[in-house]
Amino acid sequence: MDSARSVSSTAPFPAARRWVDFWDRPHSVYANRRHLEVHFALLAQDIAEHLPPNGTVLDFGCGDALAAERMLERCGSLLLFDASPAVRERLTARFAGNPRVRVLDDRDLAALPPGTVDLLLVVSVLQYIPEPDLPALLRRLRVLLSPQGKALIADVVDPGTPLLADVASQLRMGWTHGFLTASLVALVRLTLSDYRRVRREAGFATYTPDGLLDHLEQAGLRGVRLPRNIGPTPHRRSFAAEPMDGADQGAAGPAPNVQ
Ligand SMILES: C[S@@+](CC[C@H](N)C(=O)[O-])C[C@H]1O[C@@H](n2cnc3c(N)ncnc32)[C@H](O)[C@@H]1O
């Protein structure tokens, strides 16, 4: 569990590294603390029904994980992984002394025993991972799932989604939750930052539902699209998946419960 300020090995290629570097620095993706709190409160609300009672949850690309405490009301333990060393440092400080939370670095993640994760969360992360890297990542994460385990892949961006859709969604959230002015300021700051250049140069991975379901299947995961996205961005998509050789030991089994 070191906090070495090196780029994650889950980000082996320059494009992925560019994004990790972006997230590792101060940025204005979130308008203020209130935005971050509302964002994670909405996430916590949507994730609640999927949490395994007393089970182990791995939150891959967890960010500042402000939903962690609410998740711990139901699950047994929480493994938090983020490729950004700065994020990990904040999490490590926050959860020091909490025996139910482990903040993982790359080495810890690689050392997790197969089959020990009951719920895998990958929320708003796939867009920062170049598509050629996705198959290996999904296979690696799939091995960690317990036979009855489940994965939630959320906030997946559809090809052709205009940047304006995200901007509108953020402004709506700011209006609804009382931080509209801060949202406007943050969006201007984001526009003036290197965000758009990083997005243009490093890419921003997008998937059709069928494309994502194919990726899941190739990795040995049987997926279904959820009726609505998890979290505060309704125009994006969420998927639930379970190991194909999971509950039924190899034969095709029922699709994951999506509700
Ligand atoms: C939009 S935030 C999502 C945070 C959280 N999951 C949520 O839904 O609010 C994206 C997070 O993914 C992390 N990330 C980016 N590239 C990654 C990679 N290759 N491996 C793991 N995490 C990555 C970033 O550091 C950042 O914390």
Side-chain angles (χ1 to χ4, degrees):
M1 273 192 259
D2 75 13
S3 56
R5 302 196 55 79
S6 62
V7 168
S8 163
S9 68
T10 61
F13 301 116
R17 279 201 197 115
R18 296 276 312 268
W19 276 120
V20 176
D21 285 349
F22 173 85
W23 285 102
D24 203 46
R25 289 182 266 117
H27 56 77
S28 60
V29 170
Y30 305 102
N32 55 19
R33 180 75 189 180
R34 169 93 182 126
H35 182 186
L36 207 56
E37 285 171 2
V38 171
H39 169 88
F40 278 106
L42 294 170
L43 264 186
Q45 196 175 294
D46 288 350
I47 287 168
E49 65 182 298
H50 300 279
L51 290 171
N54 302 315
T56 299
V57 177
L58 168 61
D59 193 347
F60 179 91
C62 58
D64 279 293
L66 297 195
E69 285 81 357
R70 278 199 52 196
M71 286 160 61
L72 285 166
E73 288 170 14
R74 187 172 166 90
C75 71
S77 61
L78 198 47
L79 306 171
L80 300 176
F81 173 79
D82 198 284
S84 154
V87 169
R88 293 201 301 266
E89 274 174 20
R90 292 197 290 276
L91 294 171
T92 301
R94 187 163 126 227
F95 292 108
N98 186 332
R100 293 170 63 204
V101 180
R102 269 185 79 198
V103 180
L104 308 179
D105 63 17
D106 292 295
R107 206 172 299 177
D108 300 319
L109 184 68
L112 283 183
T116 50
V117 169
D118 301 303
L119 177 67
L120 165 68
L121 297 174
V122 183
V123 182
S124 206
V125 184
L126 291 200
Q127 62 269 42
Y128 307 112
I129 295 172
E131 186 164 0
D133 300 356
L134 187 62
L137 175 65
L138 287 178
R139 282 198 301 273
R140 187 177 163 202
L141 293 174
R142 180 248 172 279
V143 168
L144 298 176
L145 283 177
S146 65
Q148 283 76 33
K150 181 160 114 175
L152 283 181
I153 319 286
D155 226 36
V156 177
V157 184
D158 230 27
T161 304
L163 189 53
L164 204 60
D166 290 333
V167 170
S169 170
Q170 172 155 342
L171 290 178
R172 226 176 358 256
M173 198 171 155
W175 168 256
T176 309
H177 297 280
F179 55 90
L180 179 61
T181 307
S183 279
L184 285 164
V185 172
L187 286 167
V188 171
R189 280 176 38 216
L190 196 63
T191 307
L192 298 176
S193 78
D194 62 349
Y195 174 80
R196 284 188 307 167
R197 185 162 51 82
V198 175
R199 185 165 157 149
R200 194 173 55 245
E201 292 174 3
F204 192 75
T206 59
Y207 298 92
T208 61
D210 283 349
L212 203 268
L213 290 171
D214 278 353
H215 273 298
L216 292 172
E217 191 178 337
Q218 294 300 318
L221 289 159
R222 185 188 299 105
V224 290
R225 186 181 149 191
L226 297 181
R228 62 180 199 83
N229 190 29
I230 283 170
T233 319
H235 62 278
R236 295 186 176 182
R237 301 187 200 277
S238 286
F239 301 81
E242 65 180 16
M244 282 182 182
D245 56 356
D248 52 351
Q249 308 295 327
N257 179 8
V258 299
Q259 287 304 308

